[in-house]
Amino acid sequence: MFSALVLSTVVIFVAELGDKSQLMAMTFATRYRARDVILGITAATAVVHLASVGIGYFIGASFERYQGPIAIAAGIAFLGFAAWTLRGDELTDEEAQKARKAKGSALLAVGLAFFLAELGDKTMLATITLAVRENWFGTWIGSTVGMVAADALAIGVGALLGRKLPERVIKYGAAAAFAIFGLVLVAEGAGWLG
């Protein structure tokens, strides 16, 4: 479980860097207290990633005899996540306006916005992919911690520096990390490693 927790924390943290969710977090932090934004993000992430690990766990259990091909497919998915990261993920003007104009409880507004934004996002797909092979509970906790930590970093850096993180460095670093994870998974599935 511990290895799944560490792996998923690192993978999801890296996946979240430069993602539109970080931009949403910074935008919400200009309107609400950082604590409320973090709590809303945590609640939404925990729910989405619990569903993600459930999907991944049942896929893995149902196809246990096919772990090699599953590892190769997971590796190819991670290579796709690398390409997706290089392509970029931006917060549209409409999404930024919704975040700035959200009314009512900060926890509800942030939680609902993050829940909807994360459905089908690369961090959700990466969590499903990890849960196919790793311990579901460690993956769930780790993916939630990784996402919240990355968004908290964005809030903190945005508040302290008043500007974005260096996007180019983040984009290439995250894409490289995804590519490395993908290549390792393909190599494992093909029997070249471990």
Side-chain angles (χ1 to χ4, degrees):
M1 183 192 95
F2 184 73
S3 65
L5 184 133
V6 172
L7 177 64
S8 60
T9 299
V10 171
V11 167
I12 299 304
F13 180 85
V14 169
E16 187 63 11
L17 295 176
D19 192 70
K20 70 178 178 181
S21 301
Q22 277 194 316
L23 301 173
M24 283 178 57
M26 282 197 263
T27 302
F28 275 121
T30 63
R31 179 166 173 78
Y32 301 117
R33 290 184 299 192
R35 178 197 61 156
D36 293 340
V37 175
I38 298 279
L39 289 173
I41 291 169
T42 302
T45 300
V47 170
V48 169
H49 288 198
L50 182 59
S52 301
V53 297
I55 293 167
Y57 174 79
F58 288 112
I59 289 171
S62 299
F63 297 96
E64 196 166 329
R65 291 181 289 177
Y66 306 102
Q67 287 303 306
I70 288 173
I72 292 171
I76 292 169
F78 273 92
L79 293 173
F81 298 150
W84 189 346
T85 300
L86 285 175
R87 182 191 63 122
D89 196 10
E90 296 180 4
L91 188 64
T92 65
D93 291 336
E94 183 181 331
E95 290 169 325
Q97 277 295 78
K98 285 180 184 177
R100 278 194 286 277
K101 293 183 176 185
K103 301 285 185 208
S105 168
L107 293 176
L108 183 61
V110 172
L112 186 58
F114 269 83
F115 176 81
L116 295 173
E118 286 308 305
L119 293 176
D121 194 53
K122 69 183 171 198
T123 51
M124 179 185 183
L125 299 175
T127 301
I128 291 170
T129 304
L130 286 166
V132 167
R133 295 189 39 145
E134 303 294 330
N135 174 276
W136 74 269
F137 187 73
T139 301
W140 176 48
I141 298 299
S143 65
T144 301
V145 168
M147 176 121 169
V148 172
D151 289 339
L153 175 66
I155 291 168
V157 169
L160 289 175
L161 302 179
R163 61 179 184 248
K164 290 183 184 178
L165 293 167
E167 287 183 42
R168 190 173 232 169
V169 171
I170 291 168
K171 181 189 293 188
Y172 292 125
F178 270 126
I180 289 167
F181 283 121
L183 292 172
V184 167
L185 285 170
V186 168
E188 283 179 356
W192 301 330
L193 288 177

